[in-house]
Amino acid sequence: MRVVLPDGRVEDMRSVFWDDGVVMIDQRLLPGEFRLFRAESVEDVAFAIKDMVVRGAPAIGAAAAYGLALAAVKGEDLEGAARTLGNTRPTAHDLFFALRVVRERIESGRDPVSAAEEYAESVVEKSRLIGVHGEPLVEDGSRILTHCNAGALATLDWGTALAPIRMAHRKGKEIFVFVDETRPKLQGARLTAWELLNEGIPHAVIADNAAGFYMWKGEISMVIVGADRIASNGDFANKIGTYEKAVVAKEHGIPFYVAAPISTFDFSLGSGREIPIEMRNEDEVHFFAGSRITPEGSRALNPAFDVTPAEYVTAYITEFGIFHRSELEKLKRMAH
Amino acid sequence: MRVVLPDGRVEDMRSVFWDDGVVMIDQRLLPGEFRLFRAESVEDVAFAIKDMVVRGAPAIGAAAAYGLALAAVKGEDLEGAARTLGNTRPTAHDLFFALRVVRERIESGRDPVSAAEEYAESVVEKSRLIGVHGEPLVEDGSRILTHCNAGALATLDWGTALAPIRMAHRKGKEIFVFVDETRPKLQGARLTAWELLNEGIPHAVIADNAAGFYMWKGEISMVIVGADRIASNGDFANKIGTYEKAVVAKEHGIPFYVAAPISTFDFSLGSGREIPIEMRNEDEVHFFAGSRITPEGSRALNPAFDVTPAEYVTAYITEFGIFHRSELEKLKRMAH
């Protein structure tokens, strides 16, 4: 991804990469501060996933892949490392997929780092292909709503939801992006806006509450979001708030696309009701930039994801092309 | 309203009252700090409305009423004072209603302060009656979603949306309130939670994004919100985000009530499309507690209200009772 560094230099950089250890753009600090986080142990990587130094299902998967390589390089037990890395965040399916794939490769004698690099390359290539397939859906003049950050930060490069947007802009299409700020952790305001700004794509950040208003005003022509896990019937989990946007989009006949690599599909689940939803610490709601916003004594509830039933999805944009809900069986066969 | 002061004393207090000037609970500072704001001039009152020392349509109306009394007491021109007070916030209908009513009373020779006090009493009495009429709708075991603050802070006492909730609790019904934090200005997290805590009503603050999730989970049995302006066809403007909640509530068959005094109805407007929507400063989105959350260079859009079409409203709870959409003509006749 194109990163404009604090000193004005422009670099092409991935959100997670190997450099004698696992290096990540520290997403907790953006956009105010650009700093790299270096993980020297499996525990560091697990901490980085849990504390959201790195976030986004595909990037979490790549971080776990590199974490497993780190364990192997250090001669540590892969079983234990996989357990430590797997016990970080429960919703994203890519995490478990990455651990299984990379562990098999390492256990079959592959060089651990190149096994992880190959996984990371595949993540990037899938995102690029999502961009290639999704770009034609983004018409000249599109006014696109996106929620959370399904960008290069979340997928090492290109993004899922942001890949078609990025490519449409690079092709010279005039587009405008409404960026849901995405409470409570503000991944939209902090990360998606940062990526769009680096790329020079016109955009405005809005309170999550304002998305419905702009749909009602007729100012949003399409919605593209990522996904953390997709059940075999097409129901999908994504950042909390996605469900509301999907329901309102359908009410207005606005196309609603889910961009995700096939690794996000969990064909073992019949429906979205089976996807485990992570409840995060209520302090993420109580405190904002170090200040308490709720009264002492009030409680908060903080689900990190919600489930959007497949009936609200116009189509899924994957590395193998665009699939409608009725075609998910075909996708399942391709995944095997 | 029941206010637990910082020193633990409990007082019965209104959000705006007359004490040789216009005194207001400073709603910008809650819940971290409890302080009274004293307006000594019409300009002070206009500032307090614009800067949201006082907010909520009925409380804004009462503050403007007292502001007009202040002008009269000081022998100032009522025409100019009404203009200054009217040029503060464009969406709430009560503001203009209060200015007209109180000005007529003063110009017909009434004592200015008692004219304003009478207006304030009527605001409180209407809220109390909204509570009386709405309370039976809140069944034992209800799990209620509310958005923004339509509480006593917004209406001097009782509240609009919170009046039925307060009364149901005082009657001993077991209820639980989901409080939308209400970005960007967090009136739910800051003010509604504070009122519910003072009253001892069980509640949890949620990111606005989580409301749809709890509806999907079947954990919300009713929604009650206030309104800033209601058109004659029942479309209504309320805090940004209300529209999304209404659409998702309908999708789940969850009853959605609008609690408002008749002064909130603007029968001169045919539909909600005619309600002017205030765009507030984009810094309310960019900055939080003094910290910038978006990248320097990103833009933001900050509509303060949205419009919810009448088709999403189960019924309107007013001081004259419960009205369905088909009965608004009857309500219009009562208003005259």
Side-chain angles (χ1 to χ4, degrees), chain A residues 199-280:
Chain A
E199 200 77 34
I201 299 173
H203 66 281
V205 178
I206 55 173
D208 303 301
N209 281 326
F213 173 70
Y214 285 108
M215 291 192 208
W216 176 81
K217 284 191 79 178
E219 295 195 15
I220 292 175
S221 58
M222 70 190 302
V223 184
I224 315 183
V225 298
D228 287 80
R229 197 184 304 203
I230 309 176
S232 52
N233 72 341
D235 295 354
F236 73 103
N238 191 45
K239 181 54 55 198
I240 191 76
T242 303
Y243 174 56
E244 293 191 14
K245 311 310 160 192
V247 172
V248 183
K250 189 171 191 193
E251 196 79 355
H252 290 278
I254 298 168
F256 185 97
Y257 296 101
V258 176
I262 289 191
S263 58
T264 309
F265 282 82
D266 183 349
F267 292 107
S268 76
L269 302 183
S271 89
R273 295 268 167 199
E274 298 166 44
I275 301 175
I277 297 296
E278 176 184 7
M279 293 296 296
R280 292 184 61 86

Side-chain angles (χ1 to χ4, degrees), chain B residues 279-327:
Chain B
M279 293 296 297
R280 291 184 62 87
N281 193 308
E282 65 181 279
D283 282 352
E284 289 181 356
V285 176
H286 289 308
F287 287 90
F288 190 87
S291 309
R292 182 151 184 143
I293 56 174
T294 58
E296 291 281 353
S298 284
R299 299 294 309 272
L301 290 166
N302 186 21
F305 303 93
D306 60 22
V307 172
T308 301
E311 63 190 277
Y312 297 99
V313 180
T314 306
Y316 303 84
I317 308 172
T318 76
E319 68 270 37
F320 292 133
I322 313 290
F323 293 82
H324 291 86
R325 179 158 45 120
S326 57
E327 301 168 308

Side-chain angles (χ1 to χ4, degrees), chain A residues 31 147 176 178 181-184 186 189-190 193-194 197 203-214 216-217 240-241 243-245 247-248 250-252 272-273 277 279 285 288-289 291-303 305-307 309 311-312, chain B residues 31 147 176 178 181-184 186 189-190 193-194 197 203-214 216-217 240-241 243-245 247-248 250-252 272-273 277 279 285 288-289 291-303 305-307 309 311-312:
Chain A
H147 190 71
F176 185 87
F178 289 88
E181 63 174 354
T182 318
R183 282 281 293 155
L186 298 166
R190 297 191 303 106
W194 182 77
L197 192 69
H203 66 281
V205 178
I206 55 173
D208 303 301
N209 281 326
F213 173 70
Y214 285 108
W216 176 81
K217 284 191 79 178
I240 191 76
Y243 174 56
E244 293 191 14
K245 311 310 160 192
V247 172
V248 183
K250 189 171 191 193
E251 196 79 355
H252 290 278
R273 295 268 167 199
I277 297 296
M279 293 296 296
V285 175
F288 200 121
S291 310
R292 182 149 183 143
I293 58 173
T294 58
E296 290 281 353
S298 283
R299 298 295 308 272
L301 290 166
N302 185 21
F305 302 93
D306 59 23
V307 173
E311 65 191 273
Y312 298 99
Chain B
H147 190 71
F176 185 87
F178 289 89
E181 63 173 355
T182 317
R183 282 281 293 156
L186 299 166
R190 296 193 302 106
W194 183 77
L197 193 69
H203 66 281
V205 178
I206 54 174
D208 302 301
N209 281 326
F213 174 70
Y214 284 109
W216 176 81
K217 283 192 79 179
I240 190 77
Y243 174 56
E244 293 192 13
K245 312 310 160 192
V247 172
V248 182
K250 190 170 191 194
E251 197 80 355
H252 289 279
R273 296 266 168 200
I277 297 296
M279 293 296 297
V285 176
F288 190 87
S291 309
R292 182 151 184 143
I293 56 174
T294 58
E296 291 281 353
S298 284
R299 299 294 309 272
L301 290 166
N302 186 21
F305 303 93
D306 60 22
V307 172
E311 63 190 277
Y312 297 99

Side-chain angles (χ1 to χ4, degrees), chain B residues 56-281:
Chain B
I60 286 173
Y66 283 125
L68 215 52
L70 191 58
V73 165
K74 298 172 90 170
E76 291 170 10
D77 173 42
L78 284 190
E79 173 82 29
R83 206 178 314 114
T84 301
L85 293 163
N87 280 337
T88 47
R89 299 193 66 195
T91 301
H93 188 238
D94 297 56
L95 171 60
F96 308 105
F97 179 81
L99 288 171
R100 194 177 72 239
V101 167
V102 175
R103 191 173 162 194
E104 277 171 15
R105 284 186 198 149
I106 296 175
E107 286 179 345
S108 70
R110 286 276 306 278
D111 170 66
V113 175
S114 80
E117 288 285 16
E118 186 181 311
Y119 183 82
E121 285 306 325
S122 76
V123 166
V124 171
E125 179 59 8
K126 284 176 204 168
S127 292
R128 197 186 64 79
L129 287 169
I130 286 170
V132 167
H133 293 303
E135 184 276 326
L137 297 172
V138 182
E139 290 168 24
D140 198 33
S142 287
R143 296 173 70 86
I144 309 148
L145 173 73
T146 190
H147 190 71
C148 197
N149 175 263
L153 288 165
T155 65
L156 307 189
D157 205 351
W158 294 104
T160 50
L162 290 195
I165 292 171
R166 217 179 272 272
M167 289 199 185
H169 174 75
R170 291 190 185 176
K171 276 207 165 174
K173 291 180 181 172
E174 297 269 357
I175 58 172
F176 185 87
V177 183
F178 289 89
V179 180
D180 276 347
E181 63 173 355
T182 317
R183 282 281 293 156
K185 291 189 71 73
L186 299 166
Q187 293 93 336
R190 296 193 302 106
L191 307 177
T192 299
W194 183 77
E195 288 194 37
L196 294 173
L197 193 69
N198 282 340
E199 201 76 35
I201 299 173
H203 66 281
V205 178
I206 54 174
D208 302 301
N209 281 326
F213 174 70
Y214 284 109
M215 292 193 209
W216 176 81
K217 283 192 79 179
E219 295 195 15
I220 291 174
S221 58
M222 70 189 303
V223 184
I224 316 183
V225 298
D228 288 80
R229 197 184 304 201
I230 309 175
S232 53
N233 72 341
D235 295 354
F236 73 103
N238 191 45
K239 181 54 56 198
I240 190 77
T242 303
Y243 174 56
E244 293 192 13
K245 312 310 160 192
V247 172
V248 182
K250 190 170 191 194
E251 197 80 355
H252 289 279
I254 298 168
F256 186 97
Y257 296 101
V258 176
I262 289 191
S263 58
T264 309
F265 282 82
D266 182 350
F267 292 107
S268 76
L269 302 183
S271 89
R273 296 266 168 200
E274 298 165 43
I275 301 175
I277 297 296
E278 176 185 7
M279 293 296 297
R280 291 184 62 87
N281 193 308

Side-chain angles (χ1 to χ4, degrees), chain A:
Chain A
M1 87 189 92
R2 185 183 145 91
V3 174
V4 181
L5 295 171
D7 61 10
R9 278 183 306 125
V10 175
E11 265 194 34
D12 189 39
M13 191 181 286
R14 291 183 179 175
S15 57
V16 184
F17 54 94
W18 179 267
D19 180 18
D20 265 346
V22 191
V23 184
M24 302 166 231
I25 295 177
D26 193 334
Q27 301 188 37
R28 298 169 305 179
L29 306 176
L30 290 176
E33 195 179 334
F34 178 87
R35 201 194 293 169
L36 296 176
F37 179 97
R38 170 172 286 275
E40 311 271 8
S41 68
V42 168
E43 287 66 31
D44 287 354
V45 177
F47 169 83
I49 294 172
K50 217 180 250 177
D51 209 48
M52 299 173 73
V53 172
V54 60
R55 26 69 50 207
I60 286 173
Y66 283 125
L68 215 52
L70 191 59
V73 166
K74 298 171 89 170
E76 291 170 10
D77 173 42
L78 284 190
E79 173 81 32
R83 206 178 315 113
T84 301
L85 293 164
N87 279 337
T88 47
R89 300 193 64 197
T91 302
H93 188 240
D94 297 57
L95 172 60
F96 308 104
F97 179 81
L99 288 171
R100 195 178 69 239
V101 167
V102 175
R103 190 172 163 195
E104 278 169 15
R105 283 184 198 152
I106 296 174
E107 286 178 345
S108 70
R110 285 277 307 278
D111 170 68
V113 175
S114 81
E117 288 286 16
E118 186 181 311
Y119 183 83
E121 285 307 324
S122 76
V123 166
V124 171
E125 178 60 8
K126 285 176 203 166
S127 293
R128 196 186 66 79
L129 287 170
I130 286 170
V132 168
H133 293 303
E135 184 275 326
L137 297 172
V138 183
E139 291 168 23
D140 198 33
S142 286
R143 296 173 69 85
I144 309 147
L145 174 72
T146 190
H147 190 71
C148 197
N149 175 263
L153 289 166
T155 65
L156 307 189
D157 205 350
W158 294 104
T160 50
L162 290 195
I165 292 171
R166 218 179 272 271
M167 287 199 186
H169 173 74
R170 291 190 186 176
K171 275 207 165 174
K173 291 181 181 172
E174 297 269 358
I175 58 173
F176 185 87
V177 183
F178 289 88
V179 180
D180 276 347
E181 63 174 354
T182 318
R183 282 281 293 155
K185 291 190 71 73
L186 298 166
Q187 293 92 338
R190 297 191 303 106
L191 307 177
T192 299
W194 182 77
E195 288 194 37
L196 295 173
L197 192 69
N198 282 340
E199 200 77 34
I201 299 173
H203 66 281
V205 178
I206 55 173
D208 303 301
N209 281 326
F213 173 70
Y214 285 108
M215 291 192 208
W216 176 81
K217 284 191 79 178
E219 295 195 15
I220 292 175
S221 58
M222 70 190 302
V223 184
I224 315 183
V225 298
D228 287 80
R229 197 184 304 203
I230 309 176
S232 52
N233 72 341
D235 295 354
F236 73 103
N238 191 45
K239 181 54 55 198
I240 191 76
T242 303
Y243 174 56
E244 293 191 14
K245 311 310 160 192
V247 172
V248 183
K250 189 171 191 193
E251 196 79 355
H252 290 278
I254 298 168
F256 185 97
Y257 296 101
V258 176
I262 289 191
S263 58
T264 309
F265 282 82
D266 183 349
F267 292 107
S268 76
L269 302 183
S271 89
R273 295 268 167 199
E274 298 166 44
I275 301 175
I277 297 296
E278 176 184 7
M279 293 296 296
R280 292 184 61 86
N281 194 308
E282 63 181 281
D283 282 351
E284 289 181 356
V285 175
H286 289 308
F287 289 89
F288 200 121
S291 310
R292 182 149 183 143
I293 58 173
T294 58
E296 290 281 353
S298 283
R299 298 295 308 272
L301 290 166
N302 185 21
F305 302 93
D306 59 23
V307 173
T308 300
E311 65 191 273
Y312 298 99
V313 180
T314 306
Y316 304 83
I317 308 172
T318 77
E319 68 270 36
F320 293 132
I322 313 292
F323 292 82
H324 291 86
R325 180 158 44 120
S326 57
E327 302 168 307
L328 291 180
E329 266 301 314
K330 196 161 74 184
L331 193 66
K332 184 175 178 176
R333 287 193 300 274
M334 290 172 124
H336 288 291

